[in-house]
Amino acid sequence: MSFAESDDPVAISALQHYRYCPRQYALIHLEQEFLDNLHTQRGQLAHQRVDDPGEQWERGARMLRAMPLYSHRYGLVGKADLVELHPDGRLFPVEYKHGKHRGKRHDYIQLAAQALCLAEMTGRPVTAGAIYHTSTHRRQEVAIDGTLIADVVATLAAIREVLTSGALPPPVRDHRCDECSLKPLCQPGALNAAASWQASTLHAALFEPEEVSDGPCVSF
């Protein structure tokens, strides 16, 4: 996959937002809207340790914090919370998340996008990374395989369709809304109520007889 040179690059974080909820992605990245809640504040706290660029040695590996990333091939920009450079040449991106192990696909896609950027920037394959959970201080290793890369490519294509159309996706109105900080702006309940009212109004009028015109009947 390659993107047109005229296309703006997509933020790596946008992939995570889109896969969580397309409307959340559009509100943040198209409408430039954002609100904090408990979950976003916890996420910000989780990143404090890796937000400042820098490097150090730990456990025999070089650790690079807040490393800028890009991919010309995929049209991506962003940064990795942490990249480990091991003595054997392995590159290992680590994404910090608050809370305990979640096993969320949108987190894996964000990590895989970082791996694609690292591979292109260095010319080395990146076959694995990890999600570090700040509440448990444990990390979950994730294989960057063909299925996950295909998911990144599909998500990028879906995002570019939204960018081209400029249309705000409809609300999902499910369990995701309970944790979303943008719920007051999205108003999924109000929008669905309006759609339901419109549907019921149309249904009620469907079988009402139409007035018959007294005008001339025209035949051909």
Side-chain angles (χ1 to χ4, degrees), residues 27-218:
L27 286 169
I28 294 174
H29 297 273
L30 294 184
E31 304 289 333
Q32 307 299 313
E33 300 281 3
F34 193 76
L35 292 174
D36 264 327
N37 67 3
L38 181 62
H39 300 291
T40 60
Q41 290 175 349
R42 284 175 173 169
Q44 291 162 14
L45 286 173
H47 283 83
Q48 279 186 342
R49 184 185 171 195
V50 288
D51 269 349
D52 294 329
E55 63 177 89
Q56 64 193 74
W57 285 84
E58 285 185 17
R59 301 184 298 278
R62 185 182 172 196
M63 308 283 182
L64 302 178
R65 300 188 302 275
M67 181 177 177
L69 299 174
Y70 66 86
S71 167
H72 293 306
R73 179 183 180 189
Y74 294 98
L76 288 167
V77 293
K79 69 175 183 179
D81 290 337
L82 184 71
V83 175
E84 298 178 358
L85 279 70
H86 291 268
D88 60 4
R90 279 186 303 119
L91 294 163
F92 196 86
V94 182
E95 174 66 20
Y96 277 52
K97 296 294 182 189
H98 75 83
K100 55 188 179 181
H101 171 59
R102 303 187 298 180
K104 301 295 186 182
R105 189 71 176 176
H106 49 264
D107 291 342
Y108 299 167
I109 288 173
Q110 184 181 14
L111 183 68
Q114 295 173 11
L116 290 175
C117 290
L118 275 173
E120 182 176 323
M121 292 166 61
T122 63
R124 303 178 195 172
V126 180
T127 57
I131 306 293
Y132 177 78
H133 303 278
T134 55
S135 295
T136 58
H137 302 288
R138 302 183 69 175
R139 68 186 196 179
Q140 174 200 7
E141 188 163 327
V142 178
I144 312 299
D145 57 18
T147 302
L148 193 52
I149 291 172
D151 221 350
V152 171
V153 172
T155 304
L156 263 174
I159 285 175
R160 293 204 180 281
E161 285 186 12
V162 174
L163 288 171
T164 300
S165 70
L168 202 62
V172 294
R173 201 188 182 194
D174 59 20
H175 62 91
R176 288 171 285 183
C177 302
D178 296 335
E179 296 186 352
C180 181
S181 68
L182 299 183
K183 188 175 181 179
L185 296 174
C186 177
Q187 297 187 325
L191 288 174
N192 280 280
S196 177
W197 177 85
Q198 185 180 32
S200 63
T201 302
L202 289 172
H203 185 268
L206 186 61
F207 300 103
E208 290 180 358
E210 296 182 0
E211 294 184 2
V212 179
S213 171
D214 294 330
C217 178
V218 179

